[in-house]
Amino acid sequence: MDAAWKSSWEVKLLNNLDHSVSVVKHNNPCGLAASNDQLEALNYAWIGDPVSAFGSILGFTSEVNKSSAEFLSDKFVEVILAPSFSTEAFEILSKKKNLRLIKATARDLNAKESVFRSICGGLLVTEEDQKYDTEFIAKTKQSLPEEMKSLRSFASTCGKYLKSNGICLVQKTSSNTLWMVAAGMGQPNRLEALERLVVPRFKDKQELDMNHSLLYSDAFFPFKDSIEIANSVGVKYILQPGGSIRDEEVIQACDEFGIAMEFTGTRHFRH
């Protein structure tokens, strides 16, 4: 619930859209979208990974309306968090056995929060990751076009909430809905996160064009192999932290393939 609440509100507040919906499984957003229409945000969040959405937890940043409730009426979800539920939505969702409806207020992005984790013989205390990617530094001969620049904040928020190694592809629809098309998370092998998770999940959505996607990686690329894989499937726009001793090799590979890449200078490294 915490992951659904934080990721949905951060997307909404940083992208200035009316509605954001997060579909979370095992603390990872498997679907995340923002729109000026709630049902559209819900639909795109759900189809990000409809298989993993089974038994998920959903976070809404606006009152759940009748249309969204009807969309969910035949789907198995565990919890729905939202500021409120309309009378019609509450009536529809209350018919679902064991579904928990939780009212959750708006999130304050500036609120200070500590994170506690027990270890054998001790307790670790740290600050919650409240960093937001705000500096995007062009590193290649090709530049990100304006439509890709408008996706940077959304992409970096999606990637921030994926367990490391996290990597994702995001797009903007013709109606200006932002959505996470495919994601790979929690992998010890960064190449497999891209090649075996993100790419197949993208290809499942056969009508999509890779040229309209922005690839975000929370891990820097220590070798050019990730760039070679990205190029082989048609990726043309990349956002990554930078900071590898082989950054120049990676940049050179992007230039060779005509890929535009920017550095954020920040790694969230969520565990």
Side-chain angles (χ1 to χ4, degrees):
M1 289 191 293
D2 187 63
W5 182 68
K6 286 178 178 175
S7 58
S8 59
W9 274 102
E10 188 165 323
V11 164
K12 171 184 166 55
L13 295 174
L14 294 180
N15 292 277
N16 195 31
L17 289 167
D18 293 339
H19 309 277
S20 176
V21 178
S22 180
V23 181
V24 169
K25 195 71 169 289
H26 302 301
N27 274 343
N28 282 295
C30 58
L32 191 53
S35 174
N36 284 322
D37 179 270
Q38 185 183 92
L39 181 59
E40 185 160 355
L42 171 58
N43 178 61
Y44 278 102
W46 190 270
I47 64 175
D49 188 347
V51 175
S52 299
F54 181 86
S56 58
I57 292 174
L58 273 64
F60 285 76
T61 59
S62 53
E63 180 176 273
V64 177
N65 59 34
K66 180 182 178 182
S67 297
S68 293
E70 289 175 338
F71 177 94
L72 295 168
S73 63
D74 62 347
K75 296 173 175 62
F76 172 55
V77 296
E78 298 273 9
V79 181
I80 301 175
L81 297 97
S84 57
F85 300 83
S86 73
T87 302
E88 297 88 350
F90 186 82
E91 182 178 348
I92 293 168
L93 296 172
S94 294
K95 295 176 183 177
K96 295 177 66 66
K97 186 178 181 180
N98 297 326
L99 171 63
R100 284 150 286 183
L101 305 179
I102 308 293
K103 288 186 177 182
T105 57
R107 184 184 175 204
D108 179 1
L109 294 182
N110 296 313
K112 297 297 181 181
E113 180 181 353
S114 296
V115 178
F116 302 86
R117 178 171 294 182
S118 62
I119 59 173
C120 184
L123 182 69
L124 302 178
V125 183
T126 187
E127 293 180 354
E128 169 68 6
D129 180 1
Q130 292 179 298
K131 300 187 294 291
Y132 311 109
D133 296 344
T134 56
E135 291 187 359
F136 304 100
I137 304 168
K139 290 291 182 175
T140 52
K141 295 177 182 177
Q142 295 289 335
S143 299
L144 290 182
E146 289 304 315
E147 61 268 24
M148 288 297 130
K149 290 180 179 180
S150 67
L151 280 168
R152 294 180 302 191
S153 175
F154 176 70
S156 59
T157 303
C158 290
K160 172 182 176 179
Y161 284 96
L162 298 174
K163 298 291 185 181
S164 190
N165 283 310
I167 192 165
C168 62
L169 283 164
V170 302
Q171 285 194 5
K172 180 186 289 188
T173 71
S174 58
S175 57
N176 291 324
T177 293
L178 308 178
W179 70 304
M180 186 172 70
V181 180
M185 63 288 275
Q187 300 302 305
N189 187 316
R190 61 188 167 77
L191 293 177
E192 289 187 352
L194 173 60
E195 191 170 22
R196 298 192 180 186
L197 292 177
V198 175
V199 173
R201 288 170 177 169
F202 181 90
K203 289 182 176 179
D204 284 343
K205 305 169 181 71
Q206 298 177 2
E207 74 283 2
L208 295 181
D209 184 348
M210 186 67 81
N211 287 336
H212 296 154
S213 296
L214 176 62
L215 177 70
Y216 176 91
S217 174
D218 188 50
F220 61 59
F221 298 141
F223 304 98
K224 66 179 182 179
D225 47 7
S226 293
I227 303 301
E228 292 170 340
I229 292 172
N231 177 68
S232 71
V233 296
V235 170
K236 289 300 179 186
Y237 311 108
I238 295 176
L239 205 58
Q240 62 123 329
S244 165
I245 60 172
R246 294 183 179 86
D247 274 347
E248 288 305 317
E249 176 184 311
V250 172
I251 294 167
Q252 185 177 352
C254 285
D255 286 337
E256 178 184 341
F257 296 131
I259 293 173
M261 181 173 64
E262 292 186 353
F263 285 3
T264 66
T266 300
R267 185 172 186 186
H268 299 284
F269 209 58
R270 185 170 294 267
H271 289 93

